Amino acid sequence: MVYIQERRGRLLLEADKVERECFKKQIGILQDYYQKEEVRERVIEAFEKLLEKWDREEPAVSLGVHYLFTSVHQRTYTYLLALYGEEFYLDERAIEISWKPELLIELFEEDVREIFRQIEKQFPRLCAYEKEGIRHHCMGYYHAAIYQLCKDIWPEILEREAFQRLKKREDFSLFFGAYRGEGEVIA
């Protein structure tokens, strides 16, 4: 059992080294892509679509951008945008829509191929669960990029008519994190 844990630790460490180098290249591509006006507009439209669905009497309290562990496992890399009332995660009538950030799948899968290519020399015969662990670990870099995108684009969303019309509390907030797990308030 100790050997398995040590191997997993070394494996994730090596995968992280490779991903760090890969991500240095990919983040520039992502930044350039998401600076394009038409791409930013499509991101904002996803948020507007969610905001327009709120038809409840009580005000909305928060908007969550959630990453989904299952979407990494299924390789869909989908995020969940959710609008919550007072009960937050316990809100049975939360409004939710799926969102697939453009270009993310292609760049991440390219990284994963490079990671496996490099670490399989050092760790032959990777098990399926080890590959999944690497995917989940390395996806953290892309979650951080999506977090930053949401933070950067939020002021533009605040100016939109859909946000202005939304019945919301004064202390309405935007947060990012795992679905039904820990998160961080962005604004």
Side-chain angles (χ1 to χ4, degrees), residues 20-49:
R20 223 176 294 134
E21 291 305 310
C22 290
F23 192 70
K24 283 179 188 176
K25 298 171 196 161
Q26 307 293 40
I27 191 64
I29 295 168
L30 280 172
Q31 287 173 330
D32 291 346
Y33 186 76
Y34 280 99
Q35 287 304 313
K36 295 176 185 172
E37 193 172 321
E38 65 275 9
V39 176
R40 291 179 79 79
E41 187 60 36
R42 286 193 296 270
V43 173
I44 292 169
E45 285 172 5
F47 281 86
E48 284 181 311
K49 188 172 156 185

Side-chain angles (χ1 to χ4, degrees), residues 65 144 147:
V65 179
Y147 169 94

Side-chain angles (χ1 to χ4, degrees), residues 142-156:
Y142 285 85
H143 292 325
I146 297 301
Y147 169 94
Q148 191 60 50
L149 171 65
C150 293
K151 187 175 181 177
D152 292 346
I153 214 158
W154 186 243
E156 296 174 49

Side-chain angles (χ1 to χ4, degrees), residues 27-99:
I27 191 64
I29 295 168
L30 280 172
Q31 287 173 330
D32 291 346
Y33 186 76
Y34 280 99
Q35 287 304 313
K36 295 176 185 172
E37 193 172 321
E38 65 275 9
V39 176
R40 291 179 79 79
E41 187 60 36
R42 286 193 296 270
V43 173
I44 292 169
E45 285 172 5
F47 281 86
E48 284 181 311
K49 188 172 156 185
L50 174 72
L51 296 170
E52 290 168 352
K53 289 185 175 207
W54 189 265
D55 61 355
R56 295 162 52 177
E57 287 298 314
E58 68 271 12
V61 175
S62 60
L63 190 158
V65 179
H66 302 287
Y67 53 88
L68 307 167
F69 293 108
T70 54
S71 79
V72 175
H73 181 70
Q74 295 170 342
R75 293 172 186 54
T76 60
Y77 308 108
T78 303
Y79 288 76
L80 184 73
L81 303 179
L83 201 51
Y84 296 103
E86 188 72 38
E87 294 84 27
F88 192 51
Y89 280 157
L90 300 176
D91 188 349
E92 293 178 2
R93 295 177 43 221
I95 310 294
E96 301 174 338
I97 64 168
S98 296
W99 172 51

